[in-house]
Amino acid sequence: MTLIQLNDECKLCRKCGLGETRTNLVFGAGVENAQVMFIGEGPGETEDLQGEPFVGRGGQLLDTMLKIINLSRQKNIYITNIVKCRPPKNRDPLGTERDACIGWLKTQIDLVSPKIIVCLGRIAAITLIKDDFKISKEHGQVFEKDGVYYMALYHPAALLRDPSRRPSTFEDLKSLQELIMSVCPETYGK
Ligand code: URA
């Protein structure tokens, strides 16, 4: 199984209603064997139209954040979402939709096989780290599960809404950079 094959299968998925209302599947983008994987919540309008994750305003901010610590989807990370189809009107994906989609993400994680998973926002963190994750208290902390390290950052959309969270996100990015240097320095070509 390759990511391309999984993408093709995922296009046919109708396990929840979102497959009927989306324009494009937004499967994932970036380096296929990246050691660092970023996982958001679900596609927004721009992503739905382009079929690429994080290409709207939040995506532009994400790219700027990544650049601060020498990461980019072209060079050394893979990016995807908890749900692969846009929830109408950008509402949060429902628990039933997350449950329906999680199998695709699990296989995608197995194929990319990252050493570090960065959850962007609360929805990704409650799905992948723990169901009572408190983003305002636990962002930037490192969790370890089955040999994989997890960290959650504020979602870029939250940083656009509330710029007062940006300084702590800058600190979190520095911690992430240190984690990468100790766990998988190859990410930086070292
Ligand atoms: N927000 C997300 O969580 N994911 C995207 O791909 C775009 C916006």
Side-chain angles (χ1 to χ4, degrees), residues 40-182:
E41 176 179 318
E45 185 180 18
T46 318
E47 291 76 19
D48 177 63
L49 291 173
Q50 296 188 23
E52 281 263 335
F54 285 100
V55 286
R57 270 184 79 217
Q60 286 165 19
L61 177 58
L62 177 64
D63 285 341
T64 305
M65 288 160 57
L66 293 172
K67 207 166 165 202
I68 293 172
I69 54 168
N70 283 310
L71 299 177
S72 78
R73 61 183 92 190
Q74 288 81 18
K75 224 172 45 190
N76 49 14
I77 63 158
Y78 188 84
I79 309 184
T80 187
N81 283 302
I82 297 289
V83 298
K84 312 294 192 228
C85 299
R86 181 193 181 201
K89 299 186 183 146
N90 294 349
R91 64 161 168 75
D92 287 351
L94 306 174
T96 48
E97 292 160 350
R98 289 191 272 130
D99 290 348
C101 213
I102 194 75
W104 298 111
L105 179 63
K106 291 247 157 90
T107 310
Q108 206 172 15
I109 293 174
D110 283 348
L111 290 171
V112 176
S113 192
K115 300 226 165 52
I116 299 174
I117 292 181
V118 182
C119 296
L120 294 167
R122 188 185 74 91
I123 296 283
I126 61 171
T127 310
L128 297 172
I129 301 177
K130 52 179 180 160
D131 56 17
D132 62 349
F133 193 92
K134 293 277 175 293
I135 191 79
S136 54
K137 289 210 182 81
E138 294 174 293
H139 65 86
Q141 293 182 18
V142 180
F143 297 79
E144 195 261 346
K145 279 206 267 185
D146 302 325
V148 177
Y149 294 92
Y150 292 78
M151 181 188 284
L153 302 178
Y154 281 121
H155 193 286
L159 298 174
L160 287 171
R161 273 197 308 272
D162 181 1
S164 72
R165 293 177 190 179
R166 289 188 190 194
S168 64
T169 301
F170 183 76
E171 295 305 317
D172 294 348
L173 287 168
K174 292 285 166 194
S175 308
L176 174 61
Q177 185 177 37
E178 275 174 28
L179 182 68
I180 295 171
M181 297 287 266
S182 79

